[in-house]
Amino acid sequence: MNVWLKCAFVACLLFTGVAQANEPVVFVLAATEKVVVTNPKGQQYSALPTQRLLHGHTIAVPKGQRFSVLILNTGNRRVYNGPARLKVIADTVRVLSGPAVRVFPLEQAHLDLINQWINLFARPRGVSPVKGHKADKNDAIETNPLRVLQPIDGSLLLTRNPEFVFQGDLPREGNLMLFDSRGKRFWVEPLESEYVSLPPAAKFEWGQSFTWEVRRLTGGRVLSGSFHIASEETARSLLEARVPDTAGTLPEAKLFYGMRLQLAKAYKEADEVWASLGMVLTAQGQPSRIRP
């Protein structure tokens, strides 16, 4: 009986260790371009904001470079300046070599923002996208060479003057058709250019929702999507919180503003913030570096 209990205890410890090893320890807040992360398999990649790092990851911070993180389940922001070598362990980041870490408190509002971001965008590890999604997307691009770059489907607009930007082959004598939340036709605009600004006669109001379609004159829907115009209060709140894109602005401040915009689905403004940080985000919140 004692042997069985010991075995069960050891198994429990092993399971707990594996579970902890798969739990994110670090949320990256800022990283200059040459900071490199190496995972336990030896794979290397650029450190980017919003990444979650697990136990066993190592980080190389070259001279003159900077790496800023939140240790999850704490309220502190830790900043490492190069040259430094770091390793993520179960509950912190250990300095293997380099100067001592600088520690700063994070506001509760920013901690709540990060928790909301992780809850929305973090997917279980090892889970693939929905079966067929990639193929469906590729098929759509192959059979329909026209794409909309703006407004992103489902996005929140912080203006009452929506603009459309298309990419690809426009249908000959095609129309852009807008419908209100009840499905009633709101506006029809001939599609003569990849850039469409709707005239003042199309009187958009705060808080309205729309669906839209690109249709051929001869019939047939080519493309469709939707957008929502923010309430005046929401638009004002998000725009007044804008962080200046200047050399003196901490990248962490830009990150928090971009996260707030992304969570609100204000994708156009959020993309501008991500670009200022030298990166782009997928719809699933996965970051990648902008390449020249």
Side-chain angles (χ1 to χ4, degrees):
M1 184 66 176
N2 288 337
V3 173
W4 184 88
L5 287 173
K6 288 180 180 179
C7 290
F9 179 70
V10 170
C12 181
L13 287 177
L14 290 173
F15 176 79
T16 303
V18 171
Q20 288 179 343
N22 289 326
E23 289 294 320
V25 177
V26 166
F27 185 90
V28 180
L29 299 174
T32 45
E33 188 173 356
K34 296 180 181 179
V35 177
V36 175
V37 175
T38 304
N39 67 21
K41 295 181 180 179
Q43 299 167 318
Q44 294 186 335
Y45 47 90
S46 179
L48 286 168
T50 75
Q51 286 175 340
R52 276 80 71 187
L53 305 183
L54 308 178
H55 171 80
H57 283 69
T58 57
I59 304 99
V61 186
K63 184 178 180 180
Q65 301 290 298
R66 180 176 178 273
F67 185 58
S68 173
V69 302
L70 167 70
I71 307 298
L72 295 173
N73 302 318
T74 75
N76 292 330
R77 175 170 65 91
R78 293 173 174 246
V79 179
Y80 304 86
N81 292 302
R85 289 182 58 249
L86 315 170
K87 184 170 184 178
V88 179
I89 57 176
D91 57 357
T92 190
V93 175
R94 177 182 293 163
V95 178
L96 300 179
S97 65
V101 60
R102 299 172 64 196
V103 181
F104 306 89
L106 269 178
E107 297 177 17
Q108 186 61 48
H110 291 154
L111 294 173
D112 293 342
L113 185 66
I114 291 169
N115 285 334
Q116 187 180 1
W117 180 272
I118 290 174
N119 289 335
L120 183 63
F121 291 114
R123 292 185 300 180
R125 301 182 68 80
V127 176
S128 299
V130 177
K131 185 177 181 181
H133 174 73
K134 185 175 181 181
D136 292 343
K137 184 176 180 181
N138 289 341
D139 289 345
I141 292 174
E142 185 176 343
T143 59
N144 178 18
L146 182 65
R147 295 196 306 136
V148 63
L149 303 182
Q150 182 182 316
I152 297 173
D153 189 27
S155 61
L156 182 77
L157 305 188
L158 306 184
T159 173
R160 289 190 301 161
N161 301 303
E163 296 181 339
F164 284 76
V165 180
F166 294 97
Q167 182 182 72
D169 298 331
L170 299 175
R172 293 184 62 183
E173 299 182 318
N175 288 318
L176 172 63
M177 306 181 70
L178 274 68
F179 304 88
D180 64 20
S181 58
R182 295 170 296 179
K184 183 179 179 180
R185 185 181 297 180
F186 176 84
W187 192 263
V188 178
E189 186 75 11
L191 192 57
E192 300 172 346
S193 167
E194 293 180 341
Y195 302 90
V196 180
S197 295
L198 297 169
K203 296 181 180 180
F204 294 94
E205 301 294 338
W206 296 113
Q208 289 183 307
S209 296
F210 294 91
T211 57
W212 59 267
E213 297 179 356
V214 171
R215 289 186 181 178
R216 299 182 182 90
L217 186 63
T218 55
R221 185 174 64 184
V222 178
L223 200 62
S224 64
S226 66
F227 64 88
H228 180 76
I229 297 177
S231 68
E232 188 172 7
E233 181 182 359
T234 297
R236 183 185 301 113
S237 173
L238 288 172
L239 292 173
E240 286 179 351
R242 181 182 286 125
V243 176
D245 184 15
T246 60
T249 301
L250 280 178
E252 289 92 330
K254 294 183 185 179
L255 174 71
F256 292 136
Y257 182 51
M259 291 169 66
R260 183 178 173 187
L261 291 167
Q262 186 95 358
L263 287 168
K265 298 185 178 181
Y267 299 127
K268 178 179 180 292
E269 290 77 11
D271 286 348
E272 292 171 359
V273 176
W274 303 141
S276 75
L277 291 170
M279 65 179 197
V280 293
L281 265 71
T282 67
Q284 294 76 34
Q286 307 303 313
S288 60
R289 182 78 65 188
I290 293 177
R291 299 300 178 189

